[in-house]
Each structure stands twice: as C-alpha cells, then as structure tokens.
Amino acid sequence: MTNALILIVEDEPEIAEILETYFAREGFRVICAGDGPTGLAHHQRLRPDLVVLDIKLPGQDGYEVLAAIRRRGETPVIMVTALAEDLDKLQALRIGADDYVVKPFNPLEVVARARAVLRRTLGRGPETLLRFGPLTVDPQAHRATVETGRGPVPLDLTPTEFRILSHMAGAPGRAFARADLVDACLPEGEALDRTVDSHVSNLRRKLAAAGADGMLTGVRGVGYRLETLDAP
C-alpha cells in the first residue's frame, strides 16, 4: 500500500506541496495537478491508486472531475474543500466520493484517511459471488446484477452504494442499523444518518428500475435490510 500512487488535484500550490510532502514521507508515490483538465489527463495516463481532489478548481470544478473519473472507473477519491455544508458533502458522496475532508485540515489526517480508503479498495482478498433472490453481487469485479425474465440487468452503482449493497448481501435478512452501515461502508469522519439514507434511497431507486422493487426495505426503529424476492 505504501507504494501506491496518489494523484493530488489542488490549485493552491502551498496546500498541494504540503500534501505531497506528507504522502511522500509515508512512502507513497505522488503526482500533482493544478487544475481539473490536467488532473484528468494524469488520471487517464497514470491510473493512480487514489485521487485527492479539491472542489474549487479553475475551469472545471471538482464535482465535474469526480463525475469524469467515475465514468472511467472506480478509482477511490477523497474530496478536499473549504466547503463545510452538509449539502456539499452529500453532493460529493452522491457523485461517488469515497471520503470528504474540510479545510483547514491536518495533513496527517488526510494521509490516514487515504490509508483507510486504500485498505478497503486494495486490501481485499479473493471473494465469492453473493447471491440473494434475483440479486447477484460480485465483489471481485465490483459488479451487481438483478436477474429478470429478460436476463441479468446490471446496476449502475457508485462505489459507496456498491459497498452498502455488498455488505448487506453478505448477511441477507439481517436488519442493519445506520451506524453499522456507516462503520462498514462509509468514509471515516463526519458521516451522517441522512447520508446513509441518501445512499439507500438511490439504491432503492436503482433496484426498482432493474426489477427488484421492494428488495431493500426500512426497518422501523432499526435501519434497513434486504428482503427475499422470488426470481422471475
């Protein structure tokens, strides 16, 4: 993990230099970009293991860069910004951010969060398919499908949505408290109950669109669980 390549996309040279220094001290390889287009070019060419991405960038903001990265694949992304409003955090998480750090920050905290994200994404061993009713989750390929009369329908999930679905599919029928889902699937730091609700709401909508309406249900006073549905 310490040899992982970190791409820092930050338009303030002082902040970029501080982050680069701290990551390098911990044994990471680092590449920096001062704007969105350059960051995306580095991402396309170098395929970093993790991106540290500022939101307020010249020309192309961090949300746009994050969306472009998500269209390309599942590279982990930590958003770094001066914006501290809950709605800004939710927006980043909805698009597919893996974590969120607010300026001013302790660079050691950013490195620690990067390690935690990399453990989740790089440190997994071989995993078998998870099947529950019409749902199949492949943790290794990061793919989930719903079986229908027309064949399997793929689910287009953000990394956080996939982690939640995979975690719940590993124990189908169990009622998961929001705190369980935060600990297992959401970034370290300031995760909110309504952040979980937002991800679950998106998951419900996508499952319903794929033909598995009612599979992900709420449990009053507890949280959420996957319900059995008969495959078509």
Side-chain angles (χ1 to χ4, degrees):
M1 182 190 299
T2 54
N3 194 41
L5 177 61
I6 310 297
L7 169 59
I8 298 171
V9 187
E10 168 62 63
D11 66 322
E12 296 185 49
E14 299 85 358
I15 294 177
E17 184 177 351
I18 290 171
L19 287 172
E20 180 179 11
T21 298
Y22 275 81
F23 273 109
R25 283 178 183 173
E26 295 298 315
F28 292 96
R29 296 174 294 135
V30 184
I31 185 73
C32 294
D35 57 66
T38 304
L40 286 173
H42 286 338
H43 178 266
Q44 178 74 18
R45 182 171 59 89
L46 300 173
R47 298 295 181 186
D49 297 295
L50 182 140
V51 179
V52 178
L53 176 62
D54 189 24
I55 285 183
K56 286 193 172 182
L57 294 169
Q60 192 174 23
D61 68 26
Y63 295 130
E64 295 174 297
V65 174
L66 174 59
I69 289 174
R70 282 291 158 264
R71 287 193 294 270
R72 293 176 178 175
E74 307 299 336
T75 307
V77 177
I78 296 177
M79 304 298 284
V80 180
T81 179
L83 303 176
E85 296 296 326
D86 290 342
L87 287 177
D88 296 314
K89 298 177 184 180
L90 290 174
Q91 164 109 354
L93 293 170
R94 284 193 191 105
I95 297 173
D98 293 83
D99 204 347
Y100 194 109
V101 181
V102 178
K103 299 175 184 176
F105 55 78
N106 182 335
L108 287 174
E109 179 188 357
V110 180
V111 173
R113 291 193 181 199
R115 285 188 182 280
V117 171
L118 287 169
R119 275 197 299 272
R120 292 197 297 263
T121 56
L122 297 181
R124 302 190 188 107
E127 297 174 87
T128 58
L129 295 179
L130 302 172
R131 291 190 173 93
F132 184 56
L135 176 68
T136 299
V137 179
D138 185 346
Q140 190 83 346
H142 208 277
R143 182 183 301 115
T145 59
V146 173
E147 188 63 41
T148 71
R150 306 179 307 278
V153 176
L155 295 171
D156 183 17
L157 305 178
T158 68
T160 301
E161 290 165 3
F162 183 85
R163 284 197 297 270
I164 291 174
L165 187 61
S166 180
H167 186 64
M168 297 182 74
R174 171 186 165 187
F176 289 88
R178 290 178 177 85
D180 294 333
L181 297 177
V182 168
D183 290 343
C185 308
L186 290 170
E188 289 72 10
E190 304 172 23
L192 307 169
D193 281 356
R194 62 177 175 272
T195 305
V196 176
D197 293 339
S198 175
H199 288 302
V200 169
S201 177
N202 288 336
L203 265 174
R204 278 174 163 166
R205 174 175 52 80
K206 293 175 181 181
L207 284 166
D213 190 18
M215 189 168 203
L216 178 52
T217 64
V219 181
R220 186 180 296 275
V222 181
Y224 301 99
R225 74 176 164 217
L226 288 176
E227 299 279 5
T228 304
L229 292 178
D230 292 330

